[in-house]
């Protein structure tokens, strides 16, 4: 191809240095760009991917030619890897594989622009071959061996189709064992669960889900104000019934906080920040100018505004919003004097913290008096108690724990990992592949994966040179390794729970339905279970509650504290304590207790802007605890990972599987970016080892139900990748 043809195609001077460099590309990549017109199409596609709404497409200069050279090099490498993977597939047989023509039809936008997709042209459900990941494997530096790496398992067999270097070395077990360090351990006195069986057979666990998929398949952004109001009012009425039953009150004892009275009365409602009235209008439900002064005084000094424009909740600007049945939705300012106390829930230990937390959306009962000044002075706070934990018949527990085809008197092993699974600077999913290498070795009974799998805000999705759709990336990395797990650990049950931040789901509101297994573009294996967000399910007898919304961060952002006077029982408990730890404040435990007491995976209203939680109020009932409190509550958060026992519930933040900041250099977002420091990719995941109950205890129980007591049977190891 002469330089004159190239210059004519690109409308450049024949003597330009750019023309000579383009001629070199034609001679270097004759298969990809046989003619100058093909090379021009490649450049046009690359320039379109580099353009942004605020920045025009770059001009064709020497730096642009360098980017084009890198793009062609990456495309040639992917084509070579695809050919290599196809050769392995042909050698093993290809039942259920797709034809090249059908594969070309599924290229989508990349195919129309002439860019070859990196997704292998094969059926994910073809079980005769073992699909594997397509990210290069980068071993982490050796660290001190821990108990987490003590189990031995089979090495990952064979090279991965579509990769160049993701081949497990002969000492892969030792390297992976050294790369996992223990961050924290709960109940370290319990033994670790052994590696699961590698032979094919039925799963050793029973999974039960009490969810109707039709209830989650709603249309969001179609909310009506009337429906939202009814949902909020119904929640107040439901929690009011619980408070009345707990504290042995009747409906006649409940009064309207806005009504003045000489005697102390009980009121129930939702806490909210006080809002200033619009200019030139009277304050709602005010009976005198004094009421306006009360609200104005409540707002004095409240300068900090939340991102949504509302004033933040403080101890001086709290109002109680009543139900329509009791108070017609009136909003009454509250005053929390220093003499205010918290009534102890019957059967629970007295609270020993000198302050209590309140937040917008919290539903409480209060005992106090409205003396006619337009405010309600609180004397006592009545908090709703958590739901009881589940119990199971001794006969059923005997089957779960000691039957030969089930756990056979061995601990139950569960691995929990939360997204994102790739660092911000690339989409190679190296932390994800290291996690799956560990799972293939330990072969747990259950693998629970929480979204986001591919965050919609991932910088690499919009980076120059990125030519794959999110569904293709999900299929190439997530689905491929899950399909491989079915071969290496056939008895492991994998469960996927999405996130509203996922790029592979079309439902952007919370509560959120499960991932669509029927979507062929995702390629989720048939044996993988998909559950909604949030979700409550049981593995054998253990009840899990899971949400991928960061409720802990939102509660920490929106919560404020009010001083309370400790009751006599709490003061006696403090006297009996030796080191005074009982009086030490614990904000994290307080946030977890809010979730348990309010019986909701997300009790805040309005939703906090700290994480941008897209709450659908009309369908928020799907996020409520219905009959029981889960034995294990999984609350993924950007906060530090932890595993704690709070009010007999094991609450775990497994942390993110990948952590790391994006590099601002756009040239590193290409398909083969420069290697990142290993500390950027260090993530965390949780591993449960739940010991069985003894046969002697179950035999003594006879036909009675037995409490699960997971808080004393579960060992939780937080492992750093």
């Amino acid at each position: 191809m002469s330089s004159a043809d190239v210059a004519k195609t690109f409308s450049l001077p024949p003597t330009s240095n750019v023309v000579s460099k383009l001629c070199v590309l034609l001679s270097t990549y004759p298969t990809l760009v046989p003619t100058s017109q093909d090379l021009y199409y490649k450049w046009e596609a690359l320039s379109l991917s580099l353009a942004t709404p605020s920045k025009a497409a770059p001009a064709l200069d020497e730096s642009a030619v360098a980017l084009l050279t890198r793009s062609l090099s990456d495309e040639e490498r992917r084509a070579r890897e695809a050919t290599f993977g196809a050769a392995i597939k042909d050698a093993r047989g290809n039942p259920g594989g797709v034809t090249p023509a059908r594969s070309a039809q599924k290229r989508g936008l990349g195919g129309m622009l002439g860019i070859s997709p990196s997704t292998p042209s094969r059926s994910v459900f073809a079980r005769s071959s073992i699909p594997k990941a397509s990210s290069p494997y980068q071993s982490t530096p050796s660290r001190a061996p821990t108990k987490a790496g003590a189990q031995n398992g089979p090495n990952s067999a064979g090279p991965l189709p579509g990769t160049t270097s993701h081949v497990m070395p002969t000492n892969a077990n030792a390297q992976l064992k050294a790369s996992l360090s223990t961050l924290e351990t709960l109940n370290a006195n319990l033994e670790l669960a052994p590696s699961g069986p590698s032979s094919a057979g039925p799963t050793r666990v029973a999974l039960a889900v009490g969810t109707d998929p039709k209830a989650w398949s709603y249309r969001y952004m179609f909310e009506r104000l009337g429906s939202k109001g009814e949902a909020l009012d119904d929640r107040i009425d439901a929690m009011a019934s619980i408070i009345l039953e707990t504290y042995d009150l009747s409906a006649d004892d409940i009064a309207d906080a806005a009504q003045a009275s000489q005697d102390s009365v009980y009121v129930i409602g939702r806490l909210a920040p006080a809002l200033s009235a619009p200019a030139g209008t009277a304050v709602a439900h005010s009976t005198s100018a004094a009421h306006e002064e009360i609200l104005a005084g409540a707002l004095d000094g409240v300068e900090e505004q939340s991102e949504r424009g509302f004033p933040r909740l403080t101890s001086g600007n709290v109002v109680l919003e009543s139900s329509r049945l009791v108070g017609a939705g009136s909003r009454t300012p509250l005053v929390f004097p220093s003499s205010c106390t918290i009534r102890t829930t019957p059967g629970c230990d007295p609270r020993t913290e000198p302050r209590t937390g309140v937040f917008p959306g919290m539903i409480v009962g209060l005992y106090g008096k409205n003396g006619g000044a337009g405010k309600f002075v609180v004397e006592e706070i009545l908090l709703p108690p958590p739901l009881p934990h589940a119990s199971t018949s001794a006969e059923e527990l005997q089957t779960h724990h000691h039957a030969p085809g089930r756990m056979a008197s061995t601990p139950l092993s569960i691995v929990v990992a939360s997204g994102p699974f790739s660092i911000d600077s690339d989409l190679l999913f190296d932390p994800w592949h290291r996690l799956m290498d560990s799972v293939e070795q330990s072969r747990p009974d259950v693998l629970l994966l929480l979204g986001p799998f591919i965050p919609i805000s991932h910088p690499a999705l919009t980076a120059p040179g990125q030519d794959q759709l999110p569904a293709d990336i999900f299929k190439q990395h997530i689905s491929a390794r899950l399909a491989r797990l079915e071969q290496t650990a056939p008895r492991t049950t994998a469960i996927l729970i999405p996130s509203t931040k996922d790029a592979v789901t079309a439902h952007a509101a919370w509560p959120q339905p499960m991932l669509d297994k029927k979507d062929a573009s995702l390629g989720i294996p048939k044996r993988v279970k998909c559950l909604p967000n949030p979700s409550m399910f049981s593995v054998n007898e253990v009840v899990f509650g899971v949400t991928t919304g960061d409720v802990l961060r939102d509660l920490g952002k929106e919560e404020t504290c009010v001083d309370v006077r400790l009751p006599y029982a709490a003061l006696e408990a403090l006297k009996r304590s030796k080191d005074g730890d009982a009086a030490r404040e614990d904000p994290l435990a307080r946030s977890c207790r809010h979730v348990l007491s309010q019986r909701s995976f997300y009790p805040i209203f309005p939703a906090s802007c700290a994480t941008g939680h897209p709450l659908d109020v009309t369908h928020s009932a799907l996020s409520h605890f219905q009959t029981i409190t889960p034995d294990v509550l999984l609350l993924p958060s950007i906060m530090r990972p932890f595993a704690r026992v709070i009010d007999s519930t094991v609450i775990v933040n497994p942390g993110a599987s990948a952590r790391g900041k994006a590099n601002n250099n756009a040239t590193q977002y290409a398909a083969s970016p420069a290697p990142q420091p290993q500390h950027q990719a260090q993530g965390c995941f949780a591993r449960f080892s739940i010991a069985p109950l003894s046969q002697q205890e179950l035999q003594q129980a006879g036909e009675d139900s037995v409490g699960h007591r997971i808080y004393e049977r579960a060992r939780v190891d937080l492992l750093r990748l």
Side-chain angles (χ1 to χ4, degrees), residues 325-480:
L325 179 63
V326 176
S330 61
R331 297 165 65 90
T332 307
L334 299 179
V335 176
F336 293 92
S338 58
S339 59
C340 174
T341 62
I342 297 180
R343 183 177 298 188
T344 303
T345 304
C348 296
D349 295 333
R351 294 178 179 268
T352 56
E353 291 187 4
R355 299 197 301 171
T356 186
V358 295
F359 58 90
M362 184 178 185
I363 299 178
V364 296
L366 303 174
Y367 181 72
K369 181 190 304 182
N370 184 346
K375 59 182 179 181
F376 188 89
V377 180
V378 180
E379 301 174 9
E380 208 169 11
I381 303 175
L382 287 69
L383 299 178
L387 283 164
H389 290 81
S391 60
T392 307
S393 65
E395 181 181 0
E396 185 175 351
L397 291 176
Q398 180 75 22
T399 303
H400 287 321
H401 296 174
H402 303 289
R406 303 297 290 277
M407 300 310 302
S409 303
T410 60
L412 173 66
S413 176
I414 300 175
V415 170
V416 179
S418 177
F421 296 96
S422 183
I423 57 177
D424 291 347
S425 56
D426 61 57
L427 287 169
L428 297 179
F429 287 82
D430 287 331
W432 160 254
H433 291 297
R434 287 199 297 272
L435 168 68
M436 293 305 295
D437 289 340
S438 173
V439 170
E440 288 180 358
Q441 292 182 30
S442 60
R443 299 184 297 279
D445 296 297
V446 176
L447 171 63
L448 180 57
L449 300 174
L450 314 179
F453 299 96
I454 306 176
I456 190 66
S457 60
H458 198 293
L461 287 177
T462 57
Q466 169 58 33
D467 59 350
Q468 287 182 284
L469 297 175
D472 296 332
I473 300 173
F474 182 92
K475 183 176 182 179
Q476 179 181 1
H477 292 282
I478 307 298
S479 298

Side-chain angles (χ1 to χ4, degrees), residues 98-112 117 121 469 472:
V98 296
T99 62
R102 183 181 177 187
S103 175
Q105 294 175 358
K106 293 188 177 182
R107 292 180 181 177
L109 181 61
M112 289 187 290
S121 299
L469 297 175
D472 296 332

